[in-house]
Amino acid sequence: MKRNINILKALIISLSVTSLVACTSPNVDDESIQGTVTPADNVSGSDSSDTGNSDTNTSDASGASNADSSESASADAGADETSDSSAEDESTTSNASTTATTIYRDPISNNEPIKDGYLNVVFLGDEQFLTGESEGNTIPELLTNRFDYTNIYNLAIEGTTGAIPRSQTSTNLSDYEEPNFTAMAHVLTGDIKISALGDKVSDEVSSTCSKIDVSTVDYYVIGYGFYDYYNGIESINENNPKDEHSLYGAIITGIETLQEVSPNAQYIVCSPYYCRFYDENGADIGDAFSVTKGLQTLAVYADKTVLAAEQCYNTLKMPAISGTLFDLNGHTYTEYLESDGQTLNLKGRRIYTDALAKVIKYHLGLIGEEEFNTTITIADYT
């Protein structure tokens, strides 16, 4: 009789464990997750607008395990103390194993820089990335609609330059006071506290900066040059190409600084785009190819940003002034720009964003060379 009771107990325990495993083990096709290295649960910045989507890709194992544990405890009621202890150990072991199960997301593509299934993009630049903020349609915000599972971090600061100002004679870390590109690069590496840059940095930028995990950044989008031109900062120091007092040198130095903490990321250098200039009476005095602020035209500064990009590894370029990616030029500018001749209107921002998305998609292998080299025209956005 005692032998029959022991056999019955063993059958009950076996059935409980089998039921637990059957209810809590997710049915995952291993082939669909090859190459994915980071679980979605652990991705920094998953509090973006895509959080709801990412929730559907994470395991509900803990909830299922709790329910199944209750059933197991109920089924084992009435067994002797030794069997209860054994069943509890079995249930605890299986429960812990199930809770640890994580469903991995697929990479965006095989060329995703950090293969965690999210596109983590950090914007650094001037207000070209802030225009439309009150309406929620800045270029960074519009980019979220071009890809699934994006985490966008906008560190753009109004009126800022790529280069350090002339007044900063030293590049000692304690001497940075302006939030130019190299200063922000040092902030992201942890060399400088963002509070050291004072009230030039908004609370929103400070908060956003604190959320960035530099080890998961896929793309840094870098857009400087207009205020370097406007303030008469050198476009390049021929005697010292990495001089941070020049736009060219600051772009190279800033990227190299970021690469210390984000070696697998890609860097997209966006040149200034085409614009027009007016005098105090509103008269048109020329464009980006003809008007200087004491040194060179804006087109020259734009060219130097592209040349700087070519000197850095893992760096892509977006020559926004060339007219090859999108047709903003002397014939179409009234359709792209606000009445000031310098600020992209909503249609212009949409086209700029599509051009930027093409640069990323081409790098990811999502579009071919022919599509990448096809100029986006304003006529496509009527």
Side-chain angles (χ1 to χ4, degrees), residues 52-69:
N53 291 333
S54 66
D55 286 344
T56 64
N57 289 278
T58 56
S59 175
D60 292 327
S62 60
S65 297
N66 291 335
D68 290 339
S69 295

Side-chain angles (χ1 to χ4, degrees), residues 234-299:
E234 279 190 297
S235 63
I236 188 172
N237 179 352
E238 299 288 356
N239 296 321
N240 180 12
K242 290 188 178 182
D243 183 3
E244 291 181 46
H245 291 89
S246 71
L247 175 62
Y248 179 92
I251 295 295
I252 293 176
T253 303
I255 290 175
E256 290 181 346
T257 300
L258 288 172
Q259 285 171 338
E260 295 175 8
V261 293
S262 301
N264 298 315
Q266 289 287 318
Y267 300 80
I268 304 174
V269 177
C270 305
S271 79
Y273 52 81
Y274 179 92
C275 60
R276 304 289 300 192
F277 296 98
Y278 304 92
D279 64 17
E280 62 275 9
N281 297 317
D284 190 328
I285 59 175
D287 64 7
F289 292 91
S290 61
V291 177
T292 72
K293 293 293 182 179
L295 293 177
Q296 298 161 317
T297 65
L298 181 61

Side-chain angles (χ1 to χ4, degrees), residues 20-164:
L20 178 61
V21 173
C23 291
T24 60
S25 296
N27 183 17
V28 180
D29 179 3
D30 291 338
E31 292 183 0
S32 70
I33 61 174
Q34 290 180 356
T36 307
V37 298
T38 305
D41 289 354
N42 297 333
V43 176
S44 173
S46 59
D47 59 341
S48 73
S49 59
D50 288 315
T51 300
N53 291 333
S54 66
D55 286 344
T56 64
N57 289 278
T58 56
S59 175
D60 292 327
S62 60
S65 297
N66 291 335
D68 290 339
S69 295
S70 298
E71 291 178 11
S72 178
S74 176
D76 288 335
D80 60 38
E81 184 174 347
T82 303
S83 296
D84 282 342
S85 177
S86 175
E88 185 177 351
D89 290 342
E90 290 276 4
S91 179
T92 301
T93 302
S94 180
N95 192 11
S97 175
T98 305
T99 303
T101 300
T102 303
I103 297 179
Y104 287 74
R105 279 185 35 75
D106 290 331
I108 300 298
S109 87
N110 289 332
N111 293 328
E112 183 189 346
I114 311 297
K115 294 180 177 61
D116 56 13
Y118 287 84
L119 281 183
N120 297 311
V121 185
V122 175
F123 281 80
L124 293 153
D126 56 36
E127 64 260 38
Q128 65 180 309
F129 297 143
L130 293 174
T131 304
E133 190 172 23
S134 60
E135 295 83 23
N137 51 38
T138 63
I139 289 168
E141 289 169 313
L142 292 172
L143 190 69
T144 64
N145 299 322
R146 305 308 193 266
F147 298 93
D148 292 328
Y149 304 104
T150 55
N151 295 317
I152 303 295
Y153 305 93
N154 191 358
L155 302 183
I157 298 172
E158 184 175 357
T160 192
T161 61
I164 59 177

